[in-house]
Amino acid sequence: MIEIDNVSVTYAGEVHALREVSLTLRDGEFTVLLGHSGAGKSTLLRALNYLQPPTAGQIRFAGTEIGAGPGLRLHRRRTAMIFQLHQLIARQSALQNVLLGRIGYYSTWRSLIPFPRADVDLALTCLDRVGLLDKAESRCDALSGGERQRVGIARALCQKPETVLADEPVASLDPVASRRVLDILRGVCSEDGLTAVVSLHQVEFAREFGERIIGLQGGRVVFDGPPADLTDADLARIYPSTEPTKRTAVDAPETTSQRRPSHGMEACS
Ligand code: ADP
């Protein structure tokens, strides 16, 4: 269980990206985050992985508060991230990229030498699960956008996580590739009993794939429930048409991908 307890994130002391958010995410649940650009979805996902420490409040995984202490490495290992722009290494093969999911299991020096056979076998199994075993040796920059995101899912699985955090994983894909990626993501999370938190732009995909939808607006939770309960009035609260008069978390002209750090990898989008 993930407990988000009164969490606020304020950037540079003035941009209130999250405002006193309290949520409990149940084990094995597939949750979709909806909201305008700038609503706080990415900040919430990053806070769950402690890439963005909360300004106030607490986040607990299975009762343990996450923080900058010695448990952070283990927390990050248990919490796999999937990014909109995949964050794959373009010139490396699909298999090499998936193997990066194992790096959290080794100290720095260990990860510099070839991976053990067991890791390679696991990575191949993960590629097989996303339907890409035949592309294991293909360079990532030779894959389609949907295939790259499936490599991103395989890399996350290879990490053997308990939680998957996906930040707009289909934002750069066409509808057919998007549905395939979400179908695979939902399927593998369900098979492995993983807790998933996935931000999406498309309401229809949220209804189709989410077990639970959380709507954010201006850094606050304005809807929380199953897709069947999401009404037009709720959507109007999540996506208000009125322009904010003051600077708030919805003043976000640039996309999250423009701000997102590259993690030292050449984006392969
Ligand atoms: P979403 O993912 O819903 O688009 P974000 O969490 O990326 O929303 O952004 C929420 C708010 O926080 C926006 O106003 C955005 O401009 C701001 N923000 C996000 N990241 C930063 C940052 N690193 N520094 C300053 N402001 C940021």
Side-chain angles (χ1 to χ4, degrees):
M1 187 180 1
I2 303 169
E3 294 161 286
I4 300 163
D5 188 2
N6 244 345
V7 166
S8 297
V9 172
T10 305
Y11 292 110
E14 59 168 340
V15 180
H16 300 288
L18 292 179
R19 300 165 188 258
E20 295 167 0
V21 169
S22 289
L23 293 163
T24 300
L25 305 176
R26 293 174 280 273
D27 288 343
E29 200 167 46
F30 196 95
T31 297
V32 172
L33 302 180
L34 280 181
H36 266 310
S37 183
K41 305 179 298 296
S42 180
T43 300
L44 179 57
L45 288 166
R46 289 165 56 77
L48 287 169
N49 204 17
Y50 211 71
L51 288 167
Q52 176 58 56
T55 313
Q58 283 188 349
I59 300 178
R60 291 182 293 275
F61 278 64
T64 302
E65 185 180 352
I66 60 166
L72 185 57
R73 186 179 163 93
L74 180 61
H75 174 67
R76 295 236 171 103
R77 198 163 84 191
R78 290 176 173 161
T79 314
M81 295 284 294
I82 296 172
F83 301 94
Q84 176 185 345
L85 295 177
H86 324 305
Q87 305 289 7
L88 304 177
I89 300 175
R91 288 184 214 84
Q92 293 217 336
S93 70
L95 177 61
Q96 285 165 323
N97 272 280
V98 174
L99 277 165
L100 292 178
R102 302 306 297 162
I103 272 182
Y105 285 84
Y106 301 111
S107 58
T108 310
W109 68 266
R110 182 67 182 81
S111 61
L112 294 175
I113 63 171
F115 285 93
R117 186 70 228 173
D119 285 349
V120 176
D121 288 345
L122 174 62
L124 290 169
T125 303
C126 294
L127 277 169
D128 197 17
R129 292 183 71 191
V130 300
L132 287 178
L133 188 55
D134 59 330
K135 303 275 187 184
E137 297 302 332
S138 301
R139 272 172 53 141
C140 276
D141 54 7
L143 300 178
S144 71
E147 287 170 339
R148 289 174 197 177
Q149 195 53 288
R150 283 150 62 195
V151 172
I153 294 171
R155 180 182 56 191
L157 287 178
C158 201
Q159 198 174 320
K160 289 259 172 204
E162 293 168 8
T163 304
V164 172
L165 307 173
D167 197 356
E168 298 188 12
V170 299
S172 58
L173 304 181
D174 66 47
V176 173
S178 296
R179 177 165 280 107
R180 178 102 201 261
V181 163
L182 289 172
D183 215 22
I184 288 171
L185 181 59
R186 174 81 200 255
V188 293
C189 287
S190 163
E191 284 161 20
D192 292 2
L194 305 179
T195 307
V197 189
V198 180
S199 67
L200 293 178
H201 269 313
Q202 306 89 333
V203 174
E204 285 320 305
F205 284 146
R207 288 190 196 277
E208 185 177 341
F209 292 100
E211 268 182 288
R212 175 178 179 182
I213 294 175
I214 291 172
L216 290 172
Q217 202 281 317
R220 295 187 203 280
V221 175
V222 294
F223 176 82
D224 181 6
D229 289 358
L230 186 70
T231 63
D232 287 349
D234 295 319
L235 284 172
R237 264 194 298 282
I238 299 171
Y239 298 105
S241 52
T242 49
E243 292 297 317
T245 52
K246 289 194 300 190
R247 186 166 195 223
T248 71
V250 291
D251 292 342
E254 83 271 46
T255 65
T256 50
S257 58
Q258 286 170 306
R259 288 187 312 272
R260 202 162 285 135
S262 71
H263 304 284
M265 292 183 188
E266 183 183 343
C268 180
S269 55

